[in-house]
Amino acid sequence: MEFFEHGPEKFVVMEYVQGEGLGHQAPTGKRLELLRDRLHVLYALKPDGADIGPVHCNAAQMLGRARAFYEGVNGGRFSGVLQEAYTEAIARLASKEALHLSEEPAKRVFMRGDPNLANCLWDGERLYLIDFEYAGWSDKAYDLADLTEHPQSLGTDRKSWDAFMETFALSEAERRRYSASCKLLSLFWLGKLWLSGSAPFGDAESRAKFEMRYSRFRQPSRRSLSLVGLAPPKLRAAAARLSAWLRTT
């Protein structure tokens, strides 16, 4: 990878590489270890001589996007605990913890800006990070949350991601920021999968994605929600647990 300038334009250039994206593959073992190693190298980069600006979408901007999404949805079409959960999500996005994400982090690192697993290519032996279109400076805690909470990361279990995270030795402040970022990004993706369209669920694929998102949405007990079949009673119970989690964390 090289950084260079041509007149007023600035570029990050990579050669073409072959491989299969890790998206939806539930990477574990060697692939997850290689991803960890590549990110450590990326976060240590200091592209001297290249005037690179902030990342395309940082934590503060994502907070704005999530707020705009929820505020733009017609919450009146829901009732009962679904309406309650929707209202709690709006409140969560206005909480002190969320507002903390609007502050500039103490330490910035270089990152891709689109860390989802589809942009991690595996050729059977090596792992390549690609797609630096949105690259720039931001904070490590948010970037890691953006990776682990992305829908393409749902196949890897939470225990594996927790072990992965421990290798980055986040400070106490960074851990708090990571936790807040995870909640923000969970709300964003949950909203995209749950509230999009004319009904809470549009098709079987949307329901399956919603189930996966709920199972990753962190509960105090750290147990996954069971939404098999998504029958109305199960859906109401799940929404009630989401509401309770939002009020108590």
Side-chain angles (χ1 to χ4, degrees):
M1 182 173 65
E2 297 180 14
F3 302 89
F4 75 96
E5 300 181 29
H6 180 69
E9 303 296 329
K10 302 172 180 64
F11 302 89
V12 177
V13 179
M14 290 184 66
E15 65 182 74
Y16 172 78
V17 294
Q18 292 186 338
E20 183 178 1
L22 296 183
H24 303 301
Q25 287 192 28
T28 56
K30 182 178 179 181
R31 298 181 196 188
L32 211 54
E33 291 174 5
L34 287 173
L35 176 58
R36 172 202 66 198
D37 294 344
R38 297 296 181 269
L39 288 178
H40 277 290
V41 171
L42 185 67
Y43 293 154
L45 281 177
K46 300 204 180 338
D48 296 329
D51 183 17
I52 296 176
V55 74
H56 176 72
C57 182
N58 59 24
Q61 290 166 321
M62 176 53 74
L63 179 60
R65 286 179 63 187
R67 283 176 174 166
F69 177 81
Y70 275 92
E71 290 168 0
V73 169
N74 179 14
R77 64 196 169 121
F78 303 113
S79 60
V81 289
L82 283 175
Q83 175 63 37
E84 183 182 353
Y86 167 80
T87 302
E88 291 292 347
I90 293 288
R92 168 61 66 182
L93 292 171
S95 69
K96 180 187 252 183
E97 183 181 38
L99 292 175
H100 173 67
L101 294 174
S102 299
E103 302 172 2
E104 277 293 315
K107 182 178 180 181
R108 299 189 304 164
V109 297
F110 181 72
M111 61 188 58
R112 291 172 293 160
D114 188 7
N116 82 79
L117 291 176
N119 294 328
C120 305
L121 299 186
W122 169 253
D123 69 358
E125 291 292 333
R126 293 165 294 185
L127 186 72
Y128 301 91
L129 303 182
I130 65 168
D131 197 349
F132 285 74
E133 179 182 0
Y134 300 132
W137 300 103
S138 188
D139 64 291
K140 179 166 51 178
Y142 175 75
D143 191 57
L144 290 168
D146 199 6
L147 167 66
T148 61
E149 295 301 321
H150 194 281
Q152 296 217 21
S153 299
L154 290 172
T156 299
D157 62 82
R158 174 54 60 185
K159 183 178 180 181
S160 296
W161 281 127
D162 285 346
F164 175 87
M165 287 298 306
E166 286 301 315
T167 69
F168 290 92
L170 299 182
S171 67
E172 189 58 37
E174 287 175 322
R175 285 179 180 273
R176 289 195 298 270
R177 192 172 177 86
Y178 171 73
S179 176
S181 296
C182 283
K183 293 172 185 176
L184 167 62
L185 289 157
S186 285
L187 282 174
F188 175 77
W189 288 113
L190 184 62
K192 284 288 190 182
L193 299 175
W194 176 31
L195 300 176
S196 294
S198 59
F201 305 102
D203 52 38
E205 183 180 1
S206 295
R207 288 195 296 272
K209 289 180 178 179
F210 178 76
E211 179 177 351
M212 289 293 286
R213 172 50 56 192
Y214 253 131
S215 71
R216 278 290 287 276
F217 209 82
R218 299 179 182 186
Q219 304 298 308
S221 64
R222 296 184 67 83
R223 291 179 298 176
S224 296
L225 290 167
S226 176
L227 295 181
V228 178
L230 292 171
K234 293 181 181 292
L235 177 56
R236 287 195 293 270
R241 289 186 65 181
L242 170 60
S243 249
W245 181 86
L246 288 169
R247 286 195 301 270
T248 59
T249 59

